[in-house]
Amino acid sequence: MNQNTQSQLKTDVCIVGAGPGGALLSYLLNQKGISTMLIERQPHLHKSFRGELINVDGEAILNKHGLYSLIQERGALLLEQIQYWENGQIIHTVSPSNGESHVGIHVPQDHLLEAIVSHAQQHSSYEQVHFNTIMTGLLRDKNGQVVGINIRQNGVPASIEASVIVGADGRYSAVRKHSGMTPEIRKHGYDLLWARIPAPVGWEPAVRMASMDGQQLALFSQFGGYVQIGWNIPEGAYSKLREQPIAPFVDKLVSAFPCLSDSVAANIQSWSDFVLLSVESSYCPSWAQDNVVLIGDAAHTMTPTGAFGLNAALEDADVLSELLVQMAADQFSSTAQLQKLQTIRGAKVQQQLARQVEMESSFQQRYESFL
Ligand SMILES: Cc1cc2nc3c(=O)[nH]c(=O)nc-3n(C[C@H](O)[C@H](O)[C@H](O)COP(=O)(O)OP(=O)(O)OC[C@H]3O[C@@H](n4cnc5c(N)ncnc54)[C@H](O)[C@@H]3O)c2cc1C
């Protein structure tokens, strides 16, 4: 794109956001020969502290499109059990359901996104991801009809004309905001502290749960020899917590999981070794308006509980790709198909959102039943 003048690009489907939902959708549409542009505000695909646990639904979508084996080549870790711990001892284990080989698969998000994008690039018609490109608003014609988006690419304003605009731009979706689709937001009474540290030698791949002051403390084994710590704290409590010395807090972690003591001592020395996630979920009453449609976190943000969010974004992309193929066959003359995404996917998403609330509120009771 010319750096000095405002340019206008053109495509059939413009996807905002190269997260799991946007990357998969762009790949699927490209395979069907549909002209697609994928824009991403960041300069690369690398993400830190994002959803990285694939469940059986996400695995099925990736297998369906021949992508899972490519991800495996880059590296993925099957988690064999969910373990509940008390004072350094396992008190209960949950094994994979009948016929399943894992309770979740850890896939570094780089591996997921790079596998999808690099496989897509094998098709000569695939446009590279437009990095450093931020959606700043909707482009409208003189009747107010949305005909594309405004962007800033490498700081230079431009626009993209498109028949359909897909907001795959996450929990704070700009596409959602500019199109006036307002989500219903729910707080869950807790926030989450994340940290990633090297796993002890011989650490079995599992999800490990403990209860700390009545809150869930979870450890997720990660590919590459890491442990991700996800520690629920009362909503809004972090600023007060940070005023206190970290040592007593970290001591609680080590008392729950003594085998982590060396790694914790070497890697968690200050509050800045944790990252805070302000937890909320949301559901958009409407996922589509005219020729603008939302998928993934933009349509329905989930909490980390149960690891549904990333998988739901993949499922949305899979369903929407089929609807867009039907629309392309009709030269995008009608946008009614876009409403069908929510008709097909909405009920399952709402069940998962309700399940999260149920899992969160029953955690302590479930945990105590194992004692
Ligand atoms: C700490 C944490 C842990 C989680 N753990 C899990 C888990 O284990 N399993 C699971 O299934 N889910 C998990 N989730 C949820 C999961 O990360 C999300 O549901 C998933 O990433 C949603 O995918 P998406 O493609 O909809 O959006 P995102 O992954 O949020 O991607 C949106 C993309 O849009 C880009 N973007 C945003 N605005 C603009 C703009 N204006 N212009 C251009 N680009 C833009 C962003 O840079 C980003 O790359 C977790 C979430 C968090 C925060």
Side-chain angles (χ1 to χ4, degrees):
M1 187 186 301
N2 188 318
Q3 298 289 301
N4 300 315
T5 56
Q6 177 154 337
S7 50
Q8 186 148 5
L9 303 163
K10 201 165 178 182
T11 187
D12 283 337
V13 180
C14 178
I15 304 169
V16 181
L24 180 64
L25 181 63
S26 140
Y27 166 77
L28 296 176
L29 295 182
N30 186 258
Q31 279 208 318
K32 299 289 182 189
I34 296 173
S35 149
T36 307
M37 283 182 70
L38 174 60
I39 70 160
E40 169 56 49
R41 69 179 170 188
Q42 291 190 17
H44 48 62
L45 293 172
H46 179 75
K47 309 270 172 65
S48 55
F49 294 109
R50 303 308 288 260
E52 297 199 324
L53 268 193
I54 303 276
N55 64 22
V56 287
D57 294 336
E59 184 186 9
I61 300 282
L62 295 170
N63 269 323
K64 174 177 166 188
H65 299 295
L67 292 165
Y68 184 64
S69 56
L70 302 175
I71 290 164
Q72 267 182 318
E73 283 168 17
R74 285 176 156 74
L77 181 70
L78 298 192
L79 305 189
E80 294 162 2
Q81 280 185 336
I82 301 172
Q83 304 171 348
Y84 289 80
W85 286 59
E86 169 80 0
N87 294 327
Q89 304 290 329
I90 299 175
I91 52 168
H92 183 73
T93 58
V94 178
S95 297
S97 307
N98 282 348
E100 288 166 15
S101 57
H102 58 79
V103 294
I105 308 171
H106 177 251
V107 175
Q109 204 168 99
D110 292 3
H111 293 194
L112 175 77
L113 297 178
E114 283 166 8
I116 295 173
V117 169
S118 59
H119 194 51
Q121 282 165 353
Q122 290 173 4
H123 290 247
S124 54
S125 60
Y126 186 77
E127 278 226 35
Q128 304 289 325
V129 182
H130 293 252
F131 289 113
N132 285 317
T133 306
I134 183 161
M135 183 265 193
T136 54
L138 293 169
L139 182 67
R140 294 180 186 271
D141 67 11
K142 60 181 185 329
N143 301 317
Q145 170 65 40
V146 175
V147 291
I149 61 168
N150 294 316
I151 57 171
R152 286 187 77 80
Q153 187 168 47
N154 297 311
V156 180
S159 54
I160 303 172
E161 248 184 70
S163 302
V164 174
I165 292 100
V166 181
D169 50 344
R171 53 164 46 193
Y172 303 116
S173 172
V175 175
R176 186 181 67 204
K177 185 181 97 184
H178 287 288
S179 53
M181 290 185 266
T182 309
E184 289 158 358
I185 295 174
R186 174 175 202 152
K187 299 300 275 182
H188 288 246
Y190 72 98
D191 293 327
L192 190 60
L193 290 181
W194 284 111
R196 193 170 87 130
I197 60 174
V201 175
W203 187 252
E204 288 165 13
V207 180
R208 295 166 172 81
M209 301 276 195
S211 176
M212 191 51 66
D213 304 326
Q215 301 274 357
Q216 177 181 298
L217 168 60
L219 306 182
F220 303 92
S221 299
Q222 292 200 321
F223 174 81
Y226 291 95
V227 180
Q228 184 158 6
I229 303 164
W231 195 336
N232 295 7
I233 58 171
E235 184 183 331
Y238 188 53
S239 54
K240 280 262 178 302
L241 207 53
R242 272 192 82 114
E243 289 168 7
Q244 296 161 29
I246 193 161
F249 189 72
V250 164
D251 286 348
K252 290 183 184 177
L253 172 61
V254 173
S255 70
F257 300 105
C259 40
L260 276 191
S261 61
D262 290 350
S263 187
V264 167
N267 296 285
I268 303 185
Q269 272 112 30
S270 78
W271 290 109
S272 47
D273 292 319
F274 284 103
V275 171
L276 175 72
L277 173 71
S278 175
V279 173
E280 63 183 30
S281 63
S282 73
Y283 187 83
C284 228
S286 172
W287 300 8
Q289 190 170 283
D290 301 326
N291 55 346
V292 180
V293 62
L294 307 174
I295 62 171
D297 275 20
H300 46 74
T301 306
M302 300 190 181
T303 74
T305 304
F308 296 124
L310 148 66
N311 298 279
L314 296 176
E315 288 187 84
D316 288 354
D318 182 46
V319 171
L320 182 59
S321 71
E322 288 171 17
L323 297 172
L324 287 169
V325 167
Q326 292 165 23
M327 288 172 68
D330 207 14
Q331 275 81 48
F332 299 96
S333 58
S334 159
T335 56
Q337 293 281 17
L338 297 180
Q339 301 288 342
K340 288 195 186 161
L341 174 65
Q342 189 172 7
T343 310
I344 296 168
R345 292 276 304 130
K348 180 169 177 182
V349 165
Q350 284 188 309
Q351 276 169 17
Q352 288 174 329
L353 285 163
R355 175 100 180 98
Q356 291 192 313
V357 173
E358 193 272 319
M359 285 169 79
E360 288 160 359
S361 60
S362 66
F363 172 75
Q364 186 60 17
Q365 200 184 359
R366 198 167 64 249
Y367 182 84
E368 282 169 11
S369 73
F370 304 139
L371 289 172

